[in-house]
Each structure stands twice: as structure tokens, then as C-alpha cells.
Amino acid sequence: MSNQFILRDVSKSYGATPVLTGINLSISQGETVAIMGPSGSGKSTLLHCMSGILQPSSGAILFGGRDIAQLDDAHRSKLRLTQFGFVFQDGQLLPELTAVENIALPMILTGSSKSRARRAALELLEKLGLAQLANRRPAKMSGGQAQRVAVARALVANPAVIFADEPTGALDQPTGHEMMQLLTSLVAASGTTLIMVTHDAKVASWLNRRVEIRDGIIHDDRMMGGELR
Ligand code: ADP
């Protein structure tokens, strides 16, 4: 409840070009939400505004009762580090770090000791059945393995919310399916909110709610029972 997201009349323009117009949206803790819509409709912009990467041009983005649009850069960075986890299309693991080191990084950045972070990362890898990847660098992983490590990294510091931008975009369908299974079972177990941009209805069918954006406005917003699966 305290980690509810409430967007009130959020708009974002680039120069004179409006990209989001008057978005009103409320997302409760533990919901899993697909943000869908055609390319260029404003999905990523919405995700970036909610995750504190971009500042909206107007409107309020309340998270846990605080307007993150009003926070200064330092506080927004802190919020991202401590409350949010991120999964991107190509994983964006640091190439010079092993799987364990990549996963441990968010914990180290939020003040955990290296040994504690390493232990938590290893435990998570073991739990996910990926212990064999522990000392491997991303160049030696398959796309699916790298994405699973990226999921572990997003979750290791127990964030309230995971933001994912086309996380299956670079994977073939069975591998994407496996990744969605892993991600949705982990967020369900921890009560983490999941907000995911995807253009793929099959991927969206893993989530409980579908918000469709067209030309920067919410065109449709519906609960899904996972009935497509
Ligand atoms: P989607 O994720 O739905 O494909 P985006 O949110 O990435 O859409 O982009 C929405 C619109 O905003 C597009 O027309 C895009 O060209 C424009 N846009 C995105 N980022 C910028 C930027 N930094 N500067 C100017 N225009 C941008």
C-alpha cells in the first residue's frame, strides 16, 4: 500500500512536441503491469518518468506518497538505487564483471559490504539454478543466461518495484518464455511490483494488467487473468 504509484495528470514534451498528455494511473504494490502500444507512442518515456530517469514536464508522480517529480537529482538517484530494480533489453551487464560481481553491485552501491553482497548474489544464483555461471563474464553467457543474471541483479537488493523495458526483445520465444516465468515467479514471491514495456501480447499475458498507450494517452487499461497463456 505504501509503495503505491499514483500518476496525476502527467505530461511530457520534448521541446514543443508532446509525448505524454495528461496520464492518470494508479498501480498498487505487487501488481504486474504491461505497458503496451505502438512504437513511438510514449511507452519508454512513461517508464522513464515513473522510474525517475526523466522528469515530466508537468503533473505529479507519487510513489509511497512522495512526488518523485519534485525530488532533486541526488534524491532521485537514491530512490532508484534503494527502491527500484531495472531489466533492459540487452541485459546491460558490466562486461568486465562476473555474474556474481554484476549481481552484487546494486547491494554494494547501497552500502552492503562486498562479502555480504557476494554471498547474497551467490545464494540467489544457486536458488535460480545458475550457480555454474557464478564466475563467468557476460561475453561467455548465452543471451538467455545473461538476461537471467540481469533479473537476479534487478532483484538482489529487494526493490519495491522492477522496471523492465522490452526485457525479452533480444531473446527467441522459448528463452523469452523462460525469462518471463523466472521474473514473474520471483516478483510474485516477494510482492514486488513489476512494470514492463512490451509490444508482445504473449509476453504481456504473463502479467496481471495491461495499460495501452496510443499517442501519449492511455487508450485502454484492463486487468488480465493470464488467460492467454
Ligand atoms: P515508445 O517507447 O512507445 O516507442 P518513446 O517513449 O520512446 O516511445 O518515444 C515517444 C516519442 O518521443 C517518439 O516520437 C520519440 O521519437 C520521441 N522521443 C523520445 N525520446 C526523445 C528525446 N530524447 N528527444 C526528442 N524526442 C524524443
Side-chain angles (χ1 to χ4, degrees), residues 14 19 37-46 165 197:
Y14 290 112
V19 175
S39 177
S41 55
K43 303 181 296 293
S44 297
T45 302
L46 178 62
D165 198 347
V197 165

Side-chain angles (χ1 to χ4, degrees), residues 92-104:
Q92 297 192 356
L93 298 174
L94 294 177
E96 67 275 24
L97 300 185
T98 64
V100 156
E101 290 164 346
N102 264 291
I103 296 168

Side-chain angles (χ1 to χ4, degrees), residues 71-112:
L71 296 177
D72 61 27
D73 284 351
H75 284 93
R76 281 216 312 275
S77 300
K78 184 160 181 234
L79 180 76
R80 283 204 301 272
L81 266 175
T82 57
Q83 305 272 9
F84 299 161
F86 294 88
V87 185
F88 301 98
Q89 178 166 341
D90 65 355
Q92 297 192 356
L93 298 174
L94 294 177
E96 67 275 24
L97 300 185
T98 64
V100 156
E101 290 164 346
N102 264 291
I103 296 168
L105 197 58
M107 286 185 71
I108 293 168
L109 291 175
T110 51
S112 287

Side-chain angles (χ1 to χ4, degrees), residues 29-199:
Q29 175 79 46
E31 277 198 85
T32 59
V33 184
I35 311 280
M36 303 196 72
S39 177
S41 55
K43 303 181 296 293
S44 297
T45 302
L46 178 62
L47 196 80
H48 292 154
C49 286
M50 292 183 78
S51 58
I53 291 169
L54 274 178
Q55 226 157 352
S57 307
S58 63
I61 300 179
L62 302 173
F63 175 70
R66 255 193 329 179
D67 187 355
I68 66 174
Q70 300 296 327
L71 296 177
D72 61 27
D73 284 351
H75 284 93
R76 281 216 312 275
S77 300
K78 184 160 181 234
L79 180 76
R80 283 204 301 272
L81 266 175
T82 57
Q83 305 272 9
F84 299 161
F86 294 88
V87 185
F88 301 98
Q89 178 166 341
D90 65 355
Q92 297 192 356
L93 298 174
L94 294 177
E96 67 275 24
L97 300 185
T98 64
V100 156
E101 290 164 346
N102 264 291
I103 296 168
L105 197 58
M107 286 185 71
I108 293 168
L109 291 175
T110 51
S112 287
S113 70
K114 276 190 182 164
S115 58
R116 191 162 159 240
R118 224 186 130 77
R119 215 175 317 124
L122 254 177
E123 273 170 23
L124 189 51
L125 274 174
E126 275 162 16
K127 185 173 147 203
L128 302 183
L130 299 172
Q132 79 280 8
L133 297 180
N135 296 314
R136 213 178 286 180
R137 290 193 168 73
K140 298 269 163 122
M141 297 176 199
S142 70
Q145 288 172 333
Q147 268 319 56
R148 277 179 285 169
V149 170
V151 167
R153 181 182 58 177
L155 277 151
V156 74
N158 294 316
V161 185
I162 301 268
F163 292 98
D165 198 347
E166 299 279 8
T168 60
L171 304 178
D172 60 34
Q173 212 175 59
T175 313
H177 179 97
E178 259 173 43
M179 203 211 97
M180 287 306 295
Q181 195 162 34
L182 175 69
L183 182 55
T184 52
S185 65
L186 287 171
V187 297
S190 54
T192 309
T193 308
L194 175 61
I195 303 175
M196 176 182 297
V197 165
T198 181
H199 64 272

